Amino acid sequence: QVQLVESGGGLVQAGDSLRLSCAASGRTFSSHTMGWFRQTPGKEREFVAAISRGGGSTVYADSVKGRFTISRDNTKNTVYLQMNSLKPEDTAVYYCGGKLYYSLSYNSQDYDYWGQGTQVTVSS
């Protein structure tokens, strides 16, 4: 199984940028679809973005299109989430997940393993 560790969260002001990183252990990382999800207290885990195995295809939630960019570097076993023009409503714990099946998915139930999460707080 692949282990994931997220980092890069923090406290920022509206309009600022952050880059989250998700470091993976395991030699099969490049064969897995990866995704970013976020969760706030009392709510279900929400899809943010996903990226294909080679990084050539991406999909985003409507709420972050044009502001967030997901990318990956398979030589470093790392997936990134560049977050620009942050809004207070982006405040959440952000989780990195991986799925064994190749297809992109916005359903958290399709993902097979997760990191521990990193907190992003955007103040107004």
Side-chain angles (χ1 to χ4, degrees), residues 11-17 85-90 121-124:
L11 174 62
V12 298
Q13 294 182 329
D16 286 351
S17 297
S85 302
L86 283 163
K87 304 175 181 179
E89 50 263 45
D90 295 319
T121 302
V122 184
S123 65
S124 59

Side-chain angles (χ1 to χ4, degrees), residues 19 25 38 44 54 56 65 71 76 89 105 108-109 111-112:
R19 188 180 74 164
S25 62
R38 63 190 183 187
E44 296 182 353
K65 286 181 179 178
S71 62
K76 299 180 179 179
E89 50 263 45
S105 176
S108 64
Q109 295 181 347
Y111 287 77
D112 298 292

